[in-house]
Structure formats: C-alpha cells, structure tokens
Amino acid sequence: MNPESGGAQRVVVVTGGGSGIGRTVARELLARGHFVVLAGRRAEMLEETAQGAASALCVPTDVTDPDAVRALFRAVAEGPGRVDVLFNNAGIFPAGQSVDVIDDDTWTAAWQVNVSASVWCAREAVRMMKTTGGGRIINNASISAHTPRPNSVAYTTTKHAIAGLTKSIALDGRAHNISATRLDIGNAATDMTGAFVNALQPDGTRRAEPTFDPVHVARLVADVVALPHEIAVPELMVMAAGMPFVGRG
C-alpha cells in the first residue's frame, strides 16, 4: 500500500461521518477501497455509515473537545497507523440571526463546531502527516465563505474563518508535503439544506432554491483524495445550478 501513488488506498479521517455529506463521502471512499476512520458523536450513526465494512474504524468523538480529538488520533495511530487525508466536515448551520440579535450560546456553538473543531483535528492530523511524508486536509467550507445569506452572521463568519485556516495549513504544510483544500458547497440536498425549500432572499422574499444530490460532492472529494500528495487543489466549488449565488438576487 503506497500512499504516494495515485489511486492507492488512503487512510482518510472523516469528521461528522454519521450523517449528511460526511456519510455520503465516507461511503464513496469505502466503495473506492480506502480505509475510512469515522468520527462523530453518536456511535450508532457511525456504524450505520460503515455498514460493517472491514476497512472502516468508528471512533465516537466530540470534535469540539481537544482531548477527545487527541484520543481520536491515538486510535488512528494504534489502528491504521497513519492518516493520509483529513476531511474536516463536522459543522452546524445555526438558526438565522443577524449580528444585532445573535445570542451568546448560538455564537459559541457555531465557533466551537465549525472552527475550533477543525483546528483541533487539523493540528493532530498535521502532526502525524509530518512523520509519514505528507498528506492532505480538505476543509468543508461553504459558498458562504464568499457570499452570505441573510441573517447568517455566525455561519458566514465561521466559514470565512475556514478559508483562512485552509490557507494557513497550506502555507505551513508546504515544506512537509502537506496541502489543503477548501471545499465550497452550495445547496447539496441534506437535512441541513431542508430550509431551502422556502429560503429567505436578500430582498426579503422567500423562494424555493434548487438542490443537488450530495453523491456528486462525494465523488469530487474522492477524486481529490486519490491524487498524489505532490498535487495541490487549493479550492473546489460545487453547487446546484441555478441557485442564487452568481450575480444579484
């Protein structure tokens, strides 16, 4: 098993692996022959994602707890023994609040899950990657890292932070053959995007927005995972055609 050759089996850690995009990506990676470490809070959801695959390791983890993240990567070290790719996917979309009404708990939760957890996981992954010749970190951001939705100050701010985190990882990891990708997704059809059937628009109206099957996200992620480490993909965007992102409205 040579992680440096394109198409070889990778060891991939997927956070938020119990549902949504994390589950879809994990299953695509398993189908392509990779070893997937699934992290999330609920063991039964991780096991459901794994579907009994021998090349899956389920590690119940609260990624907002740095000690729990350290334990996650100790399990990786004791199991497959390395991490080739980290898919920093765990995240939340807080209830819509503008900056003048956002409450303390909503802000704190968004920052802990969307930003701090990504930093804790990246920290441990990079430490391991430095000892094994390199790797790749894929951070699940959003098109909100470019353009906000109305009343989304917590989500928008945290996803802009992910953009900065990705660049910092790429710069600091360059000398160690570690690259980073910011994955910006728009309206993949998951539980999180259910509200887009009646989405608030900047002009105050509401309308249904198009969505798309997250399997297409999974296939893109899997294609990046399979690339040799010497190939970097700094940014990747995928969204539902026709959604209100490019231009006004």
Side-chain angles (χ1 to χ4, degrees):
M1 189 166 60
N2 178 8
E4 291 302 316
S5 60
Q9 185 190 55
R10 310 283 192 213
V11 175
V12 187
V13 175
V14 177
T15 68
S19 62
I21 288 172
R23 169 172 287 180
T24 306
V25 168
R27 287 179 173 172
E28 179 69 19
L29 293 170
L30 288 168
R32 296 198 190 191
H34 298 295
F35 190 102
V36 180
V37 180
L38 292 159
R41 286 177 293 179
R42 297 173 57 186
E44 67 276 14
M45 298 296 286
L46 301 179
E47 296 290 349
E48 186 177 327
T49 297
Q51 297 179 314
S55 56
L57 173 64
C58 299
V59 186
T61 307
D62 177 0
V63 291
T64 67
D65 178 355
D67 287 333
V69 172
R70 280 187 277 268
L72 164 64
F73 282 87
R74 282 198 299 271
V76 175
E78 294 166 1
R82 68 168 198 273
V83 56
D84 300 310
V85 182
L86 164 66
F87 182 36
N88 254 333
N89 168 71
I92 58 174
F93 189 93
Q97 294 180 341
S98 59
V99 69
D100 56 314
V101 300
I102 190 167
D103 61 87
D104 298 348
D105 290 342
T106 297
W107 171 259
T108 299
W111 191 264
Q112 287 179 335
V113 178
N114 292 356
V115 182
S116 292
S118 294
V119 172
W120 306 149
C121 291
R123 177 176 63 187
E124 301 307 315
V126 167
R127 286 174 175 171
M128 291 188 69
M129 290 172 182
K130 283 184 175 181
T131 69
T132 56
R136 185 185 309 275
I137 294 176
I138 303 172
N139 291 323
N140 187 352
S142 167
I143 63 172
S144 289
H146 302 266
T147 302
R149 287 184 174 276
N151 299 331
S152 66
V153 64
Y155 188 73
T156 298
T157 303
T158 57
K159 291 307 182 179
H160 275 71
I162 292 299
L165 172 63
T166 306
K167 291 180 179 179
S168 289
I169 293 170
L171 178 59
D172 295 341
R174 182 186 297 166
H176 306 280
N177 204 25
I178 299 169
S179 65
T181 299
R182 189 183 81 229
L183 174 62
D184 297 329
I185 304 171
N187 286 17
T190 66
D191 291 342
M192 185 181 290
T193 58
F196 296 159
V197 297
N198 189 30
L200 179 64
Q201 305 299 310
D203 63 2
T205 62
R206 290 186 176 272
R207 71 185 71 164
E209 294 185 9
T211 59
F212 71 101
D213 191 328
V215 70
H216 300 294
V217 176
R219 290 169 181 167
L220 285 173
V221 171
D223 286 344
V224 174
V225 166
L227 291 171
H229 291 334
E230 61 266 22
I231 298 175
V233 183
E235 299 176 10
L236 188 63
M237 180 183 291
V238 57
M239 67 181 188
M243 69 172 292
F245 170 68
V246 178
R248 299 177 180 175

